Amino acid sequence: MSALSQRREPAPVRHSAKVIDGALAMLTVVIFVAVALAAGVQSPWRGPVPVIPFALFLGALLFVRRRWPMTVLLLSIAAMFAYHLTNEAPNGWIWPIWAAYFTAATTPRVCWVAAIGVAQLVYSAVDFRWVIGRNMTHYLIHTVGEALLLAFIIGAGLLYAASLRWRERLRETDGRVRGAEERLRVAQEVHDTVAHTLAVVGVHLNVASDTLEEAPAEAAAALRLAQDVRNRAMADLAALIDVLRTSPTGTAPQPDLASLGALVANARATGLEVALDERGDPSAVPATCAVAVYRVVQEALSNTLKHSGATTVEVTVAYQPDSVSVEVVDNGHGTPGGTLREGHGLAGMRERVSALGGTLTAGPVPGGFAVKARLPLADSSP
């Protein structure tokens, strides 16, 4: 089977292939009949092998050349032998069946194609030897020309097959790159989920530890909240890990802007006072940008819980026609010593925002610590 037909092509490609095959068939019929008439054939519908039916047969074979390339080549050669044995008109051996040779040369059996072509050339040279005594130049032009034509056709078939393999490798490489990018994105999702969960659960466990003896009910409530957060995080992680274990082109579950309320509620459950202020219409925000907004708020709240010692946080999300602005400001002390050390979470936020053409800043502000991001909507369409 030809390399052209080993893989199922899309419908538009198959339609285009049929159009090309039809055009080649028509061209073969017209040129073959025209050359035969020009060479002196008087009755193209008569004779042991009539010219027009023979040309139609060669043209019809081209409609199945992609499915059975070697069969079409052998039938075409056999037909040419039958034609030359019963007709005196010199109509060539190679050019009438060049399309069959070309298609067969794109298959792994190209060595057999070359051998068959050489055998046909040798036979044609012997069959045409009667011209040597009359016109040696004509004989050389005929034999050498057909040999050069055969070499060109086989070479073109090899180049075409190589280009198909190269394009297939490019598609495979592109698929692997997309898979690697998807896995990297999922890894970032895993980091964000784990970091936020550990921060919230850690706060609840500290509350339970501090109140275990004095207020057992409060400690039990804190443990239940920690368990709820842990269970939700495990469900998210299970879905994310499932993506890594299955197809690299799979789609991981994505948070959206509607999940910001639950994110803030989790932070409030730790005792942190969190105010969420959403301004504008979020309906026009693309999915990729919505995920980035969610992750920026999540990582900022996680950093507040883990590092800043803050008691209040203000989360502001402003939806504008051309961008989304995120600002998370707490009243904590930021990082110890006032120096900002950019860990994986902050670096991941910055990379995520930069990938969408946005900007992110994080650092101390008067009275606390702030994370600010701006994401353009035009560059974040999925």
Side-chain angles (χ1 to χ4, degrees), residues 31 47 89 113 117-118 123 147 156 171 174 201 204 222 272 312 320 354 360 376:
I31 295 180
V113 175
V118 170
Y123 183 87
R171 282 193 291 268
D174 185 57
V201 170
H204 287 304
L272 188 65
T312 62
Q320 300 164 349
S354 297
L360 182 139

Side-chain angles (χ1 to χ4, degrees), residues 53-329:
F54 176 79
L56 292 173
F57 175 74
L58 289 181
L61 286 177
L62 297 182
F63 285 99
V64 293
R65 67 186 178 96
R66 300 172 189 268
R67 178 170 298 217
W68 300 298
M70 292 301 296
T71 302
V72 168
L73 176 62
L74 293 176
L75 287 176
S76 299
I77 292 174
M80 289 303 300
F81 270 101
Y83 177 80
H84 278 274
L85 288 175
T86 56
N87 289 271
E88 296 182 357
N91 217 334
W93 284 83
I94 302 298
W95 73 260
I97 56 175
W98 73 269
Y101 266 113
F102 174 83
T103 307
T106 64
T107 69
R109 297 186 177 90
V110 64
C111 292
W112 284 104
V113 175
I116 292 171
V118 170
Q120 187 179 12
L121 286 175
V122 171
Y123 183 87
S124 68
V126 173
D127 182 66
F128 204 55
R129 68 185 183 279
W130 59 270
V131 181
I132 296 178
R134 299 180 182 181
N135 192 333
M136 185 65 177
T137 302
H138 178 56
Y139 176 81
L140 291 176
I141 291 175
H142 172 79
T143 53
V144 175
E146 292 224 308
L148 292 177
L149 177 62
L150 178 65
F152 175 80
I153 293 171
I154 294 178
L158 287 172
L159 288 176
Y160 182 70
S163 70
L164 288 182
R165 291 192 296 270
W166 179 71
R167 286 201 295 267
E168 185 64 29
R169 284 195 294 269
L170 280 183
R171 282 193 291 268
E172 293 175 357
T173 301
D174 185 57
R176 286 194 294 268
V177 169
R178 286 197 301 269
E181 291 175 348
E182 173 69 8
R183 288 172 180 267
L184 177 60
R185 185 187 62 77
V186 172
Q188 291 175 339
E189 302 288 340
V190 169
H191 168 271
D192 294 342
T193 301
V194 170
H196 181 73
T197 302
L198 290 177
V200 174
V201 170
V203 171
H204 287 304
L205 292 178
N206 288 335
V207 171
S209 176
D210 293 340
T211 61
L212 183 60
E213 296 181 357
E214 299 176 359
E218 185 178 347
L223 289 174
R224 282 193 297 271
L225 286 173
Q227 188 177 26
D228 290 341
V229 172
R230 176 260 183 199
N231 290 338
R232 288 196 297 269
M234 288 301 296
D236 291 342
L237 287 175
L240 290 167
I241 296 302
D242 184 62
V243 172
L244 291 176
R245 287 177 176 173
T246 55
S247 172
T249 59
T251 302
Q254 295 295 304
D256 53 20
L257 297 173
S259 304
L260 287 176
L263 190 64
V264 168
N266 286 340
R268 286 172 181 163
T270 66
L272 188 65
E273 294 183 13
V274 185
L276 175 61
D277 181 14
E278 293 186 84
R279 305 170 183 173
D281 182 13
S283 61
V285 179
T288 50
C289 186
V291 173
V293 170
Y294 179 93
R295 293 306 184 191
V296 168
V297 174
Q298 183 185 52
E299 184 62 30
L301 291 176
S302 297
N303 288 338
T304 297
L305 290 169
K306 289 188 292 184
H307 304 302
S308 72
T311 58
T312 62
V313 182
E314 293 182 0
V315 179
T316 304
V317 183
Y319 307 109
Q320 300 164 349
D322 60 345
S323 66
V324 178
S325 299
V326 182
E327 185 175 293
V328 182
V329 182

Side-chain angles (χ1 to χ4, degrees), residues 5-17:
S5 58
Q6 288 179 349
R7 183 170 51 86
R8 184 69 172 172
E9 298 287 357
V13 176
R14 294 197 300 272
H15 176 73
S16 176

